[in-house]
């Protein structure tokens, strides 16, 4: 079973009843004591939303991956319940066939009540969902990330300074507690 299939299996199993903490798991607690393990493999992966604790890292074999090591969000019971309530409105076959775009829109609706990312030329711009509510200041120049996702995996990450050149998913670049991104000009936001 690949990670995407496992994420759907976890989601559908959680719809039948929450698992709670998996004390019997060798890796428990992989995030925090008392975590809810109902959704072990996340259906939103790779969400590309730094605010939830994830970030892009380079794996030992040189690939860009979205690391969820510091995400607690999907393991907090009230969030799991909200996710399950949201997806229970959809036929399971639709969820099986849905692409990454469907899942990012779903996550934005859960987090913000609406989709706040937008089509930007040939790219999809997730900058608003990454910086909403954070304190931002304008920057004279900078670079953001253009992330290509295929089959729920990151296949390339480019640093760009012109949004018109982007073709994948536009997100800010993270540096410590700062996000550098482009939204009507470069901004630096603290989160
Ligand atoms: S950061 Fe959290 S919500 Fe995002 S893909 Fe990872 S586990 Fe899922």
């Amino acid at each position: 079973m690949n990670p995407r299939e496992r994420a759907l299996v976890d989601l559908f199993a959680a719809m039948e009843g929450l698992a709670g903490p998996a004390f019997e798991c060798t890796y428990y607690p992989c995030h925090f004591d008392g975590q809810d393990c109902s959704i072990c493999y996340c259906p939103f992966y790779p969400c590309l939303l730094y605010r939830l604790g994830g970030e892009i890292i380079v794996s030992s074999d040189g690939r860009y991956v979205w690391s969820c090591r510091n995400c607690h969000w999907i393991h907090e019971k009230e969030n799991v319940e909200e996710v399950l309530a949201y997806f229970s409105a959809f036929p399971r076959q639709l969820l099986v066939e849905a692409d990454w775009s469907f899942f990012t829109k779903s996550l934005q609706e859960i987090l913000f009540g609406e989709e706040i990312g937008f089509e930007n030329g040939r790219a999809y711009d997730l900058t608003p969902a990454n910086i909403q509510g954070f304190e931002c200041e304008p920057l004279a120049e900078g670079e953001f990330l253009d992330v290509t996702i295929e089959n729920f995996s990151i296949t390339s990450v480019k640093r760009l300074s012109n949004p018109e050149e982007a073709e994948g998913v536009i997100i800010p670049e993270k540096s410590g507690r700062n996000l550098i991104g482009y939204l009507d000009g470069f901004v630096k936001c603290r989160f």
Side-chain angles (χ1 to χ4, degrees):
M1 196 183 300
N2 67 36
R4 184 64 203 164
E5 290 165 347
R6 172 67 196 271
L8 291 169
V9 165
D10 283 1
L11 178 63
F12 296 155
M15 284 172 166
E16 303 300 326
L18 291 192
F23 296 115
E24 72 286 5
C25 175
T26 319
Y27 302 104
Y28 180 87
C30 51
H31 293 272
F32 62 94
D33 238 343
Q35 68 180 67
D36 189 292
C37 301
S38 304
I39 300 181
C40 181
Y41 281 63
C42 180
F44 303 109
Y45 189 87
C47 72
L48 304 185
L49 292 183
Y50 297 106
R51 64 178 61 239
L52 300 180
E55 62 183 329
I56 291 177
I57 61 166
V58 179
S59 66
S60 51
D61 58 0
R63 290 176 304 117
Y64 286 107
V65 291
W66 182 253
S67 166
C68 300
R69 199 161 65 94
N70 295 320
C71 174
H72 288 194
W73 183 81
I74 199 69
H75 300 298
E76 285 164 359
K77 186 167 176 274
E78 60 274 20
N79 298 336
V80 179
E81 287 171 341
E82 205 176 338
V83 167
L84 298 178
Y86 180 90
F87 285 126
S88 64
F90 296 94
R92 292 196 181 185
Q93 193 58 33
L94 183 151
L95 298 177
V96 169
E97 292 169 5
D99 59 9
W100 181 86
S101 298
F102 171 86
F103 280 91
T104 188
K105 286 173 196 163
S106 302
L107 181 55
Q108 292 173 57
E109 285 172 4
I110 291 167
L111 293 174
F112 308 111
E114 60 181 338
E115 179 188 11
I116 59 175
F118 61 96
E119 303 293 333
N120 187 347
R122 288 166 295 166
Y124 182 74
D125 202 328
L126 252 190
T127 306
N130 268 295
I131 67 173
Q132 165 115 316
F134 297 157
E135 214 170 280
C136 299
E137 59 186 82
L139 280 185
E141 55 187 31
E143 285 183 319
F144 58 86
L145 301 182
D146 178 23
V147 182
T148 304
I149 295 176
E150 288 170 19
N151 292 328
F152 296 91
S153 290
I154 294 175
T155 54
S156 80
V157 176
K158 289 183 233 157
R159 283 184 179 74
L160 296 178
S161 52
N162 180 359
E164 286 176 16
E165 291 173 12
E167 296 179 319
V169 183
I170 296 173
I171 60 169
E173 179 155 32
K174 178 173 176 276
S175 170
R177 299 299 297 170
N178 292 317
L179 299 178
I180 312 280
Y182 186 98
L183 199 62
D184 299 326
F186 279 100
V187 287
K188 178 164 89 174
C189 306
R190 190 152 179 82
F191 76 115

